[in-house]
Amino acid sequence: MLARRLIPCLDVKDGRVVKGINFLQLRDAGDPVEQAAAYDAQGADEVCFLDISAAPEGRSTLVDVVRRTADQVFAPLTVGGGVRSVADAEKLLLAGADKIAVNTAAIRTPQLVADIAARFGNQAIVVAVDAKRRGESWEVFSRGGRTPENIDALDWARRCADLGAGELLVTSMDRDGTGLGYDLELIRAIATSVTVPVIASGGVGKLADLADGLVAGADAVLAASIFHFGQHTIDEAKAYLAGRGLAVRS
Amino acid sequence: MIAILDVCSGNLRSVERALAHVGADVVVTHDPEVVARADKLVVPGQGAFGPFMRGITERRLEAPLRAAIAKGTPYLGICLGLQVLFEHSEEGDVAGLGVLRGRVTKLAPTDKTLKIPHMGWNQVAQKLPVPGLATDAYVYFVHSYRVEPADPSVVALEATHGVTFCAGVRRDNVLAVQFHPEKSQGVGLALLRAFVEAA
């Protein structure tokens, strides 16, 4: 039986981790390669880098970070942030990424999703959907949550799946950084609207939140802070999920 | 020297890195002569069956691959490197190498809540011993098609995703798996190490 995935996420800016794994005795707490290796050693099912550099020069260091990570981490690696073209995606995939996450560029040019899927396979393209609640529905935002797009999140999710996205990384902007748990209605609504895997993101503050996201229909759960700040290890999270009767890789 | 077949596969570099990590002396090649005299062969594969098989044909690798397998060169196939051993694939309606009898069909679980591609970590049960692989180990899969060997005695591994399917075959010098050892952390590296270190 396919295990549900637990994915720690590292925010990277100008080649350095912004929120680090502070609790580990790392030589260099800001080095994304070392931190990815630490998560790998803890048994993370995948590792995710999201580059939040403002300038293109900052992002160019990402390819090198991915290459050095892939030299020592033999687990699936998802990389997003600033990918604008098939060529950008190819650079990261050749450097050792397994999946490329796109957000703003997919909204501007939906064909990019289809093009990356056609070139590298559906499994290589993840669309990151940043959504904010608007009454009974959710609106899609671009540019790291800065720009409202007046697009319905469920319509967009279905469109991305039709275009060839291999999975959707769904982040609740209302919950991100709050520790109040995922927006479970959002996760449930999207998971029942598409047939591709859904990764829940945004809002995890405790282990029960991870379980709730999976019960709501997510195939994988992503979290940053609860691992970064030493609240929990990957092992603890896996043990908790197994105790809740959820299939996880031991 | 271990030859890694270069047929424009998405996981080529990952496989190369993982093999180098476990101490293998590798060469990435699509030179038929290098394939013919390799001590061992690794055939990675990620992508679509048609272009992959076409890549093999266009590089004139079909005959040297068959010959190497026939003369006993240890062969490790990964993903498409497994599927291509069979006679035919539904994906694109293309003929394979036909080293093993059987076909490649779309993975179609009856439970419609199960997602395709089958992507993520799943357990494999051993029907035949696979060196280096722990019993019921979790390994990383990414695929939408699966092999259906005509001869059940070659089935070495099985996994379940709605349906139970063949996740690996073994016959004489041939070992091939549907999952990605290069992305299966320590479990996968152990399998690669066993292949590299086998006499």
Side-chain angles (χ1 to χ4, degrees):
Chain A
M1 183 176 178
L2 193 62
R4 308 289 191 103
R5 287 169 284 152
L6 181 58
I7 308 173
C9 180
L10 292 162
D11 287 349
V12 179
K13 189 178 183 195
D14 303 327
R16 307 285 292 169
V17 174
V18 182
K19 291 184 282 186
I21 327 177
N22 295 341
F23 66 103
L24 287 171
Q25 298 300 308
L26 299 173
R27 266 183 299 113
D28 177 355
D31 180 14
V33 179
E34 202 171 341
Q35 301 206 15
Y39 281 143
D40 179 45
Q42 288 182 14
D45 296 317
E46 280 181 45
V47 175
C48 180
F49 285 140
L50 287 182
D51 193 287
I52 56 168
S53 304
E57 307 83 69
R59 282 200 294 270
S60 66
T61 61
L62 187 64
V63 173
D64 180 55
V65 165
V66 169
R67 186 176 298 116
R68 288 188 294 120
T69 302
D71 276 336
Q72 50 179 294
V73 172
F74 299 98
L77 180 62
T78 300
V79 181
V83 172
R84 295 276 173 275
S85 63
V86 172
D88 288 346
E90 182 169 28
K91 259 184 242 164
L92 292 166
L93 290 166
L94 285 177
D98 296 283
K99 308 177 194 182
I100 301 302
V102 293
N103 178 351
T104 306
I107 296 168
R108 297 282 168 274
T109 318
Q111 183 61 27
L112 177 64
V113 176
D115 290 347
I116 294 176
R119 179 80 182 273
F120 306 107
N122 303 82
Q123 85 292 337
I125 175 76
V126 179
V127 176
V129 178
D130 290 353
K132 195 175 177 66
R133 189 180 277 273
R134 294 283 189 236
E136 295 302 299
S137 62
W138 293 268
E139 182 180 8
V140 172
F141 276 63
S142 66
R143 300 181 58 244
R146 288 193 292 273
T147 308
E149 292 288 343
N150 195 28
I151 299 170
D152 178 74
L154 298 191
D155 289 343
W156 178 235
R158 279 188 283 260
R159 173 122 194 257
C160 292
D162 289 344
L163 284 164
E167 57 188 347
L168 302 177
L169 167 55
V170 179
T171 303
S172 161
M173 290 170 51
D174 304 294
R175 293 300 178 87
D176 201 26
T178 64
L180 294 171
Y182 299 120
D183 182 340
L184 297 174
E185 287 180 35
L186 170 67
I187 298 306
R188 194 175 294 119
I190 292 192
T192 52
S193 300
V194 297
T195 57
V196 298
V198 169
I199 306 168
S201 160
V204 173
K206 56 187 187 303
L207 296 181
D209 297 334
L210 298 170
D212 291 345
L214 295 174
V215 171
D219 298 273
V221 281
L222 180 139
S225 305
I226 64 160
F227 302 125
H228 290 158
F229 299 117
Q231 221 172 317
H232 294 289
T233 63
I234 301 284
D235 286 336
E236 285 168 10
K238 289 263 186 97
Y240 175 82
L241 294 172
R244 288 278 302 265
L246 293 155
V248 289
R249 180 174 65 114
S250 42
Chain B
M1 179 268 300
I2 297 179
I4 305 174
L5 203 71
D6 173 11
V7 189
C8 305
S9 171
N11 63 342
L12 180 65
R13 294 297 157 195
S14 300
V15 170
E16 180 188 8
R17 274 189 254 228
L19 284 166
H21 188 81
V22 298
D25 173 20
V26 295
V27 56
V28 175
T29 184
H30 52 74
D31 180 339
E33 285 179 25
V34 176
V35 169
R37 59 167 198 269
D39 299 320
K40 293 179 184 177
L41 272 174
V42 175
V43 180
Q46 194 171 53
F49 190 98
F52 186 75
M53 191 60 211
R54 196 158 58 241
I56 289 177
T57 312
E58 281 169 359
R59 291 169 175 77
R60 300 174 195 285
L61 290 166
E62 214 176 317
L65 271 176
R66 276 186 227 277
I69 290 170
K71 77 171 185 193
T73 306
Y75 175 104
L76 175 63
I78 297 171
C79 197
L80 285 175
L82 162 71
Q83 296 181 4
V84 82
L85 293 172
F86 288 83
E87 293 165 298
H88 179 265
S89 176
E90 238 176 53
E91 188 183 12
D93 189 17
V94 179
L97 292 172
V99 171
L100 295 173
R101 286 190 302 116
R103 57 203 191 109
V104 184
T105 59
K106 179 98 177 166
L107 190 58
T110 45
D111 179 351
K112 293 301 167 200
T113 65
L114 293 174
K115 313 283 170 90
I116 297 293
H118 173 228
M119 180 166 64
W121 297 83
N122 205 335
Q123 278 178 298
V124 283
Q126 294 196 26
K127 301 287 150 186
L128 297 173
V130 173
L133 190 65
T135 311
D136 293 330
Y138 273 101
V139 291
Y140 189 77
F141 286 90
V142 183
H143 64 121
S144 300
Y145 290 80
R146 49 93 168 240
V147 299
E148 295 190 48
D151 175 4
S153 75
V154 304
V155 176
L157 300 169
E158 284 181 346
T160 302
H161 184 58
V163 293
T164 295
F165 63 92
C166 171
V169 298
R170 243 200 117 175
R171 196 187 70 186
D172 306 325
N173 51 314
V174 172
L175 170 65
V177 294
Q178 182 59 65
F179 58 88
H180 290 273
E182 76 280 10
K183 289 290 166 183
S184 298
Q185 292 177 332
V187 167
L189 294 176
L191 183 149
L192 294 176
R193 186 176 287 115
F195 177 77
V196 168
E197 291 176 357

